Amino acid sequence: MRTRDLRTALLATGALLLTTAACAKNDTDTSGPAAAPRTIKAVDGCGKGGWTDPADLATDREPARCASGAPAPVKLAKPRKLTIATGTLSAEYVAPLEMAVEKGEFKKEGLDVTLKVLPTPDALPLLAKGDIDAQWAAPEAAVMNGILGGFDIKWVAGNFSPDPKSKSGLWVHLKDGESASHVSMAGRKMGTMIGKGSVISYPMNTALKKHGGGLDKIQFQQLGSADVLTALQNGGVDSAWLLDPVWRKVDGDKRYAFLGGQPLGEPLGGLLFGPNLLNDDPDAGVAFLRAYIRTVNTYFAGDYKKDPAFVTELAALLKTDKKVLESTPSLRMDWEIRAGTTDRLQKAYKAAGVSKGDPLPESKTVDRKLYEEAVGHKPS
């Protein structure tokens, strides 16, 4: 898709979401007295390490962790059925949700959870209207535009940040005389399967600016997942955003250089809640997050790929090749959300021309209270 066509499509999607948002706002009006503050109780196994200061943006920050099996389940008095939308069931970053279903962690909370594959543009209006309960996605431009238009949606938990050894991100085919530390990106053609409205716009813009580029100074060539690497190798594009495990195909080849990827220690996606779990049934929302967090602490706390038996189980769950999983470092699963991430994302969307209006404050886009309650953290 040409850059102009891509921009038109994204803006058209945003306009549709804004229109739907107005209807959703009327259908799910939550005006009225503010909800009473929820009681926060200490949680066994989740001490000081179960929470980190959102303002800590250090790249070597250790993610929050509780003991294995913590936080313990607190079964709801009445069972709930929840539907969670996700764009895929084969990606590694979805594994904690799938493992929670497989191991019965949601059932321990009294939750009957269904994971449903839906692309973000299709899922967002359903989430805002309460037709689905949550979405495993990211605060993309379409989400920000939807919230601006009245969608009652917030980002409530993170998913992962990359291992420092990962080289998923921006790769360039070096010209004569260029090196990884000296590349001019202005005017380059970039191949990517991800549009400008994705959260990847933020790290992409950061990496480009370090090398004289920027989202407004390059040409985009949107390609299928199987075509991005081929286009880079045959000269169809001279740079590309390569995801796991595709970047392994050029790693070590001196003709190519890695210029940067997702920020270390900063998740860019995770769980989005709509009115059902934010307002109507926050007990179920906390229970869902408790099961998710417990799954991370029990199965994904560290370098989970060191365990061959677990990798075999994970490969079967994701319906992928075990060798493919082993070819890249373990993700750093992380349920927390860093301060200012949605500010930085919106700045990138503005630079890419896929957002309108004034930036939304974090209070309108992020809610950390539910995961803090799940681990027993009382805000000071």
Side-chain angles (χ1 to χ4, degrees), residues 184-312:
S184 177
M185 290 301 298
R188 300 261 186 164
K189 181 183 285 188
M190 179 186 291
T192 176
M193 61 176 288
I194 302 168
K196 289 185 178 182
S198 164
V199 292
I200 297 302
S201 291
Y202 155 40
M204 186 184 293
N205 199 38
T206 300
L208 287 169
K209 284 186 173 181
K210 290 179 180 178
H211 299 277
L215 294 174
D216 58 340
K217 295 181 180 180
I218 62 168
Q219 302 174 52
F220 274 84
Q221 180 75 40
Q222 193 166 20
L223 301 165
S225 59
D227 301 322
V228 176
L229 177 62
T230 301
L232 180 64
Q233 292 175 321
N234 67 20
V237 297
D238 47 20
S239 63
W241 193 269
L242 302 179
L243 303 175
D244 287 336
V246 178
W247 59 268
R248 296 301 297 256
K249 300 289 186 180
V250 294
D251 189 30
D253 189 329
K254 293 183 179 180
R255 295 174 297 173
Y256 304 94
F258 173 62
L259 302 185
Q262 179 178 329
L264 299 178
E266 184 177 12
L268 299 182
L271 278 163
L272 307 176
F273 278 3
N276 292 358
L277 299 181
L278 283 174
N279 306 309
D280 299 341
D281 196 355
D283 287 346
V286 173
F288 185 92
L289 289 174
R290 191 163 49 235
Y292 162 51
I293 292 169
R294 182 168 61 253
T295 303
V296 171
N297 289 320
T298 305
Y299 302 100
F300 299 92
D303 186 359
Y304 50 89
K305 293 184 181 179
K306 284 185 176 180
D307 182 348
F310 183 72
V311 176
T312 299

Side-chain angles (χ1 to χ4, degrees), residues 23-372:
C23 299
K25 188 174 183 179
N26 291 333
D27 291 345
T28 59
D29 186 7
T30 57
S31 60
R38 294 177 61 84
T39 301
I40 309 296
K41 298 179 180 179
V43 173
D44 290 343
C46 293
K48 291 183 178 179
W51 179 88
T52 68
D53 184 352
D56 184 358
L57 302 180
T59 57
D60 60 350
R61 175 186 67 89
E62 291 294 328
R65 289 290 183 262
C66 301
S68 178
V74 181
K75 197 163 188 175
L76 297 167
K78 182 180 178 181
R80 271 80 149 182
K81 289 187 176 182
L82 301 181
T83 299
I84 316 301
T86 176
T88 179
L89 288 173
S90 60
E92 190 175 338
Y93 63 84
V94 190
L97 287 193
E98 295 185 81
M99 191 64 72
V101 173
E102 179 73 12
K103 299 294 186 180
E105 298 297 346
F106 291 124
K107 287 187 177 180
K108 294 174 186 176
E109 301 284 350
L111 300 174
D112 182 359
V113 172
T114 298
L115 301 180
K116 185 174 183 178
V117 176
L118 281 174
T120 294
D122 294 342
L124 276 176
L126 299 178
L127 180 62
K129 294 185 72 175
D131 292 340
I132 60 175
D133 301 288
Q135 189 170 351
W136 187 252
E140 298 178 345
V143 176
M144 296 295 104
N145 288 336
I147 295 173
L148 180 66
F151 277 1
D152 189 10
I153 293 173
K154 285 188 178 179
W155 184 20
V156 299
N159 52 8
F160 76 95
S161 63
D163 184 278
K165 298 187 291 293
S166 175
K167 295 182 182 178
S168 173
L170 179 58
W171 286 81
V172 62
H173 193 296
L174 297 171
K175 297 178 181 179
D176 290 343
E178 289 185 331
S179 65
S181 60
H182 184 69
V183 180
S184 177
M185 290 301 298
R188 300 261 186 164
K189 181 183 285 188
M190 179 186 291
T192 176
M193 61 176 288
I194 302 168
K196 289 185 178 182
S198 164
V199 292
I200 297 302
S201 291
Y202 155 40
M204 186 184 293
N205 199 38
T206 300
L208 287 169
K209 284 186 173 181
K210 290 179 180 178
H211 299 277
L215 294 174
D216 58 340
K217 295 181 180 180
I218 62 168
Q219 302 174 52
F220 274 84
Q221 180 75 40
Q222 193 166 20
L223 301 165
S225 59
D227 301 322
V228 176
L229 177 62
T230 301
L232 180 64
Q233 292 175 321
N234 67 20
V237 297
D238 47 20
S239 63
W241 193 269
L242 302 179
L243 303 175
D244 287 336
V246 178
W247 59 268
R248 296 301 297 256
K249 300 289 186 180
V250 294
D251 189 30
D253 189 329
K254 293 183 179 180
R255 295 174 297 173
Y256 304 94
F258 173 62
L259 302 185
Q262 179 178 329
L264 299 178
E266 184 177 12
L268 299 182
L271 278 163
L272 307 176
F273 278 3
N276 292 358
L277 299 181
L278 283 174
N279 306 309
D280 299 341
D281 196 355
D283 287 346
V286 173
F288 185 92
L289 289 174
R290 191 163 49 235
Y292 162 51
I293 292 169
R294 182 168 61 253
T295 303
V296 171
N297 289 320
T298 305
Y299 302 100
F300 299 92
D303 186 359
Y304 50 89
K305 293 184 181 179
K306 284 185 176 180
D307 182 348
F310 183 72
V311 176
T312 299
E313 183 179 7
L314 192 58
L317 189 65
L318 298 175
K319 295 180 174 59
T320 192
D321 190 286
K322 180 180 178 182
K323 291 183 179 179
V324 173
L325 273 181
E326 291 174 329
S327 69
T328 56
S330 297
L331 300 177
R332 292 193 168 186
M333 302 303 185
D334 189 350
W335 64 80
E336 294 190 313
I337 300 170
R338 299 294 88 197
T341 296
T342 56
D343 297 334
R344 292 182 284 277
L345 288 171
Q346 290 180 90
K347 187 175 181 180
Y349 300 150
K350 198 75 172 180
V354 294
S355 65
K356 291 185 176 182
D358 295 329
L360 292 160
E362 191 177 80
S363 61
K364 297 290 187 181
T365 61
V366 173
D367 188 341
R368 299 181 182 86
K369 293 192 296 294
L370 298 180
Y371 77 65
E372 289 177 338

